[in-house]
Amino acid sequence: MAEDRSVETKIPRHVAIIMDGNGRWAKNHRLPRLSGHEAGRKSVKKVVQAAIAHGVRYLTLYAFSVENWQRPREEVQGLMGLLRLVLREELAEMGREGVRLRAIGRLQDLPEAVRAELETAMEKTRGNTKLDLILALSYGSRVEIIEAVKEISKEVKAGRLDPETIDEKTVSGHLYTRDLPDPDLLIRTSGEMRISNFMLWQISYAEIHVTPVLWPDFGKEQFAEALADYARRERRFGGI
Ligand code: IPE
Ligand code: IPE
Ligand code: MG
């Protein structure tokens, strides 16, 4: 039906994903947790390709939260090692696919070797315009807001900013996401119905899609399903 086709053309500009369930996937397969994270790497590749194919312009992936530092040392180290490897090994392909790599979060917390790899990848892909792939690393939304409040306060104190003029733009403009549009669609895998300190400010009007599928089992089909779900939604932004 023609009506259905028009629905399919409602593509979110910015999709953000809370990639969850790697540990449970590993457990189901009687594997160590790190194998779950390694398996999740394939899903990242599939989703990046799917996002490009569907014409999504921004894709943010929640890869490591500020709270995730509390996990056992071996898991944190394993994740950091994996991240470094992925950044190195996927750089060429990101270049070919027109992906610009970006990152949000407390990047200063990352081990030096990971940061160096990240800087290289961001620098080398800076001119790409097909898809902005934003990795949320050592990311916490509350700490992001706190940092913004500090910056804004300093500007007020220095007399550069009149407190009466502070509006949504001022706050948005001091977050890590200052030059990104807000997510239109937020996906969480593994069935958990929570936000886990992710983009609290930015998702105020995002459509939310929760799937029971664990992240390592999430691929093109599940991504397309999430987009189809989004296309059926009626976004009102408080209007009627
Ligand atoms: C998500 O998978 C990846 C990270 C948080 C780094 P989990 O490791 O949280 O997997 P579960 O929730 O234990 O299954
Ligand atoms: C959220 O997953 C963080 C990432 C996906 C990186 P968690 O597994 O850390 O979240 P909780 O602990 O279930 O809320
Ligand atoms: Mg989890």
Side-chain angles (χ1 to χ4, degrees):
M1 275 189 293
E3 205 180 311
D4 282 339
R5 213 170 304 130
S6 76
V7 161
E8 276 167 23
T9 60
K10 278 206 265 169
I11 298 294
R13 189 148 76 116
H14 185 174
V15 177
I17 308 183
I18 304 175
M19 309 184 288
D20 198 16
N22 296 351
R24 275 161 284 172
W25 184 93
K27 197 170 177 210
N28 293 345
H29 290 78
R30 299 177 195 283
L31 292 166
R33 288 183 61 86
L34 196 61
S35 304
H37 299 310
E38 279 161 359
R41 175 179 176 177
K42 281 195 243 62
S43 301
V44 171
K45 280 192 84 154
K46 288 179 196 162
V47 165
V48 167
Q49 284 163 4
I52 294 171
H54 285 278
V56 169
R57 186 62 186 78
Y58 301 89
L59 176 67
T60 299
L61 301 178
Y62 199 8
F64 195 87
S65 72
V66 278
E67 287 80 15
N68 288 149
W69 292 112
Q70 300 164 39
R71 292 190 179 194
R73 229 173 95 102
E74 309 110 74
E75 181 167 349
V76 170
Q77 281 181 348
L79 275 166
M80 291 300 143
L82 180 63
L83 180 58
R84 194 178 154 201
L85 197 74
V86 170
L87 288 169
R88 182 181 305 178
E89 292 181 354
E90 303 297 335
L91 179 57
E93 191 161 343
M94 285 194 282
R96 279 197 297 277
E97 287 175 342
V99 174
R100 176 182 177 189
L101 186 79
R102 307 173 68 165
I104 54 171
R106 290 183 47 87
L107 307 181
Q108 66 271 35
D109 293 347
L110 298 171
E112 191 44 51
V114 175
R115 249 173 65 186
E117 214 70 67
L118 188 62
E119 293 296 338
T120 306
M122 291 195 292
E123 183 53 39
K124 293 221 163 122
T125 60
R126 218 169 54 175
N128 295 345
T129 55
K130 199 128 205 172
L131 174 80
D132 280 29
L133 172 62
I134 303 110
L135 296 183
L137 297 170
S138 191
Y139 176 86
S141 184
R142 285 190 167 184
V143 88
E144 175 184 35
I145 292 169
I146 291 166
E147 284 177 17
V149 170
K150 283 186 187 163
E151 281 309 310
I152 294 168
S153 307
K154 282 183 202 159
E155 286 169 34
V156 168
K157 198 175 171 198
R160 290 198 303 271
L161 182 65
D162 173 1
E164 288 309 318
T165 66
I166 294 174
D167 57 10
E168 288 193 12
K169 262 201 194 139
T170 317
V171 177
S172 294
H174 286 79
L175 299 174
Y176 304 138
T177 49
R178 56 180 70 90
D179 47 6
L180 298 172
D182 286 342
D184 302 292
L185 171 64
L186 173 68
I187 301 172
R188 182 159 188 157
T189 59
S190 90
E192 306 292 356
M193 303 276 188
R194 56 176 173 261
I195 302 299
S196 303
N197 202 13
F198 187 55
M199 290 192 160
L200 301 176
W201 171 276
Q202 296 91 333
I203 61 165
S204 52
Y205 270 103
E207 295 296 327
I208 301 177
H209 175 86
V210 177
T211 167
V213 174
L214 304 174
W215 179 249
D217 293 325
F218 192 93
K220 291 192 166 140
E221 234 170 81
Q222 290 75 17
F223 188 78
E225 215 169 274
L227 293 196
D229 185 20
Y230 172 83
R232 287 190 295 267
R233 305 284 178 89
E234 187 198 343
R235 300 185 81 185
R236 295 208 190 126
F237 301 99
I240 52 166

